[in-house]
């Protein structure tokens, strides 16, 4: 029998989309990548852009077209995106995930959420890509207001530290796509990785650490651990988490 008209859309089940906890970000993967941000068609991701046309307007009309402002790098199963969608309903945000099965899960999850909640969740989407290689292909200079790095692969072996998502070279790219005053969030359950990320961010001239008092007034911080599958696993096991939040400061004159 077919589904009744107006019946709720079933959410995808994670067990059908299981994949390795992490992927090698330095390996070659085969998926389409835009040549530049100007070639990135966001209309297929966000209904508000599809309704506005093909997203290729210019001049004053182009300025009125909203842009993606939040990026969750390595978004996993999309828990943070879903939670932030209601907190920032007017902000477009994208999850960037390298694992194909996990990306498909998030896509199906968002489809189900939109169908079951008309008018909601139209501001979140996901793309399969490698942010370590292709981030500038998607975002203009100063475009992003928030970037998230939740429980990234620790790459424990020293020879694999070059695969870590926070490094001096990559921070230069993050600084390029982030707006001045934008916020970069990191969290891990591996103390050594937490210290690594903080030491790299502290050493970069375009990022400054946000103190705990200011973090306590940021509504996003409380979601960094609770919304991700990895964070929930750590909480169940009563493990420690290490949060570090940084602001993109103005470039020197």
């Amino acid at each position: 029998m077919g589904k009744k008209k107006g019946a709720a859309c079933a959410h995808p089940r994670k067990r059908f989309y299981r994949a390795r906890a992490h992927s090698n970000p330095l390996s070659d993967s085969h998926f389409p990548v835009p040549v530049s941000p100007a070639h990135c068609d966001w209309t297929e991701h966000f209904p508000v852009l599809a309704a506005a046309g093909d997203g290729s307007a210019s001049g004053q009309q182009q300025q009125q077209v909203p842009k993606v402002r939040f990026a969750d790098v390595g978004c996993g199963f999309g828990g943070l995106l879903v939670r932030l969608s209601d907190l920032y309903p007017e902000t477009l945000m994208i999850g960037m995930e390298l694992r194909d099965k996990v990306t498909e899960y998030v896509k199906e999850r968002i489809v189900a959420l939109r169908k079951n909640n008309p008018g909601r969740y139209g501001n979140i989407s996901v793309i399969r890509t490698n942010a370590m290689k292709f981030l500038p292909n998607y975002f203009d200079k100063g475009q992003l207001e928030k970037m998230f790095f939740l429980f990234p692969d620790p790459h424990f072996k020293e020879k694999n530290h070059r695969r870590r998502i926070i490094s001096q070279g990559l921070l230069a790219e993050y600084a390029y796509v982030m707006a001045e005053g934008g916020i970069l969030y990191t969290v891990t359950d591996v103390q050594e990785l937490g210290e690594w990320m903080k030491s790299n961010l502290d050493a970069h001239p375009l990022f400054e650490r946000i103190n705990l008092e200011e973090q306590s007034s940021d509504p996003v911080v409380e979601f960094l651990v609770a919304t991700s599958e990895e964070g929930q696993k750590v909480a169940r096991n009563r493990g420690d988490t290490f949060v570090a939040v940084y602001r993109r400061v103005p470039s020197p004159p």
Side-chain angles (χ1 to χ4, degrees):
M1 294 179 62
K3 290 184 179 180
K4 293 182 179 180
K5 186 176 181 180
C9 181
H11 284 241
R13 298 183 180 182
K14 289 180 182 177
R15 71 171 183 263
F16 297 129
Y17 297 85
R18 288 296 174 183
R20 295 180 61 183
H22 302 284
S23 294
N24 180 0
L26 301 184
S27 65
D28 292 326
S29 299
H30 302 285
F31 42 75
V33 176
V35 176
S36 71
H39 294 84
C40 190
D41 182 10
W42 295 108
T43 59
E44 63 183 84
H45 292 274
F46 302 105
V48 64
L49 299 184
D54 62 7
S56 60
S58 59
Q60 182 177 358
Q61 191 176 12
Q62 176 67 34
Q63 295 176 7
Q64 299 172 353
V65 177
K67 291 186 175 183
V68 173
R69 298 300 180 184
F70 294 1
D72 184 2
V73 178
C75 67
F77 291 96
L80 180 66
L81 290 171
V82 172
R83 186 62 64 90
L84 293 182
S85 179
D86 280 336
L87 190 61
Y88 298 93
E90 303 300 320
T91 301
L92 300 186
M93 51 192 86
I94 193 75
M96 311 183 85
E97 176 58 52
L98 184 56
R99 296 166 293 174
D100 56 348
K101 289 184 179 180
V102 178
T103 305
E104 283 304 310
Y105 171 87
V106 180
K107 286 181 180 178
E108 294 298 322
R109 183 181 186 182
I110 293 173
V111 167
L113 284 168
R114 289 177 179 178
K115 183 171 183 180
N116 295 335
N117 303 272
R120 295 172 63 194
Y121 303 108
N123 62 329
I124 59 174
S125 190
V126 65
I127 51 176
R128 184 183 179 220
T129 192
N130 187 336
M132 285 184 68
K133 292 183 176 181
F134 304 119
L135 196 72
N137 295 64
Y138 293 92
F139 307 116
D140 291 316
K141 181 179 180 180
Q143 179 175 337
L144 296 178
E145 297 170 357
K146 294 184 185 296
M147 293 189 72
F148 302 91
F149 301 87
L150 275 56
F151 299 97
D153 190 334
H155 294 295
F156 289 108
K157 295 181 179 180
E158 187 173 353
K159 68 177 183 179
N160 290 333
H161 284 183
R162 63 196 178 100
R163 300 179 182 177
R164 288 180 168 178
I165 196 66
I166 298 294
S167 67
Q168 289 300 297
L170 289 172
L171 285 173
E173 291 196 358
Y174 305 154
Y176 176 81
V177 299
M178 291 189 73
E180 293 182 357
I183 308 296
L184 185 151
Y185 302 82
T186 71
V187 61
T188 180
D189 60 327
V190 179
Q191 185 174 8
E192 185 273 331
L193 177 62
E195 293 301 324
W196 164 282
M197 293 193 291
K198 285 196 296 184
S199 65
N200 273 275
L201 281 155
D202 286 340
H204 199 283
L206 295 182
F207 290 97
E208 66 176 10
R209 194 185 305 188
I210 294 177
N211 61 42
L212 293 178
E213 181 179 0
E214 188 174 348
Q215 287 184 38
S216 66
S217 63
D218 185 339
V220 172
V221 172
E222 66 176 289
F223 298 139
L224 298 181
V225 175
T227 57
S228 70
E229 185 178 69
E230 188 66 29
Q232 293 166 7
K233 186 188 304 181
V234 172
R236 287 196 301 270
N237 295 329
R238 299 183 179 182
D240 294 325
T241 54
F242 306 92
V243 175
V245 183
Y246 285 76
R247 180 182 291 106
R248 165 67 160 91
V249 298
S251 302

